[in-house]
Amino acid sequence: MALPTSSVITLHINGERHTLPVDHRTTLLDALRERLDLTGTKKGCDQGQCGACTVLVDGRRTVACLQLAVAAEGREITTIEGVADGERLHPVQQAFLELDGYQCGYCTPGQICSAIGVLAEHAAGWPSAVSADVRPAAGPPPLTAEEIRERMSGNLCRCAAYTSIVEAVGRAAGTTPAARQDAGPQTKEPAA
C-alpha cells in the first residue's frame, strides 16, 4: 500500500490563514513564493547558507528553504510582508531605510527578518558565540557591533552593505552608539 505524498495544510502567515494542497517535499520557501505569491522572501542558495529566505516562525528565525511546509502547519509565520504595522514600518525596516542598510535589496527581506529575530533573542538574554559572560544571571550582553555581526552572520550580503546593516540593527535596538564602538572604550567628556 502506497503512502500519500501530498496533504492539504493550513499555514498561518502574517495573521492570515492559507489552506492549500502541497507535496510533502515542498519547502516553506516554495509554498510562500510559488503557491501563495509572497515573493518578498527571496530564494538565494536554496541550501540554508545565505539567509536570503529567512522568515520568522513562532517568532524565531528560520531559513525557509530548509523548512518543509508541512512542518510549519499550525505555527505563526511572519514574512517581510507582515513585519510592518499597516503603513508604519517596523523599527528595523525604518533603520535600514534611514541608514542605507541595503544596496541591491535582494538580501534585505531576510536581513530584516533575521534582525527582528536577533533583537528578540538578545532581549531574552540569549548569548552568542562572542558573548563574554554567558551566565544567565549576567543578563543580555551589551549589543555591540561585534555581537550584532556574530548574531547576523547567517545572512550574507553580496553588495557588502554590512557596516550599514550593523548600524541599522543597532539603531533599531536603541544602541547605535554601542554598535559603533569598535575601537575600544569611548571616553565621556567631563560634566561641566
Side-chain angles (χ1 to χ4, degrees), residues 21-104:
V22 295
D23 181 291
H24 291 162
R25 299 167 293 181
T26 303
T27 64
L28 179 57
L29 174 61
D30 287 336
L32 291 169
R33 291 184 57 79
E34 307 299 328
R35 303 296 306 282
L36 298 171
D37 202 28
L38 292 168
T39 57
T41 304
K42 303 300 185 216
K43 184 178 276 202
C45 67
D46 216 17
Q47 298 176 2
Q49 296 179 0
C50 73
C53 66
T54 303
V55 297
L56 300 169
V57 178
D58 292 336
R60 296 190 60 191
R61 301 182 280 167
T62 300
V63 283
C65 70
L66 297 182
Q67 171 82 51
L68 292 176
V70 294
E73 184 170 27
R75 300 175 76 190
E76 293 298 326
I77 302 161
T78 304
T79 68
I80 191 67
E81 292 91 347
V83 299
D85 183 12
E87 294 295 315
R88 189 168 147 235
L89 295 178
H90 186 282
V92 172
Q93 289 175 304
Q94 188 65 45
F96 265 68
L97 182 64
E98 291 170 359
L99 295 170
D100 196 25
Y102 54 86
Q103 287 185 19
C104 81

Side-chain angles (χ1 to χ4, degrees), residues 98-121:
E98 291 170 359
L99 295 170
D100 196 25
Y102 54 86
Q103 287 185 19
C104 81
Y106 195 83
C107 73
T108 304
Q111 295 274 3
I112 288 172
C113 286
S114 189
I116 292 168
V118 160
L119 296 179
E121 293 164 9

Side-chain angles (χ1 to χ4, degrees), residues 172-191:
T175 61
T176 301
R180 293 182 183 178
Q181 187 175 324
D182 286 330
Q186 294 182 351
T187 58
K188 285 187 164 183
E189 293 291 323

Side-chain angles (χ1 to χ4, degrees), residues 4-17:
T5 59
S6 63
S7 298
V8 175
I9 63 171
T10 300
L11 297 176
H12 301 270
I13 304 167
N14 302 327
E16 296 181 16
R17 294 169 47 107

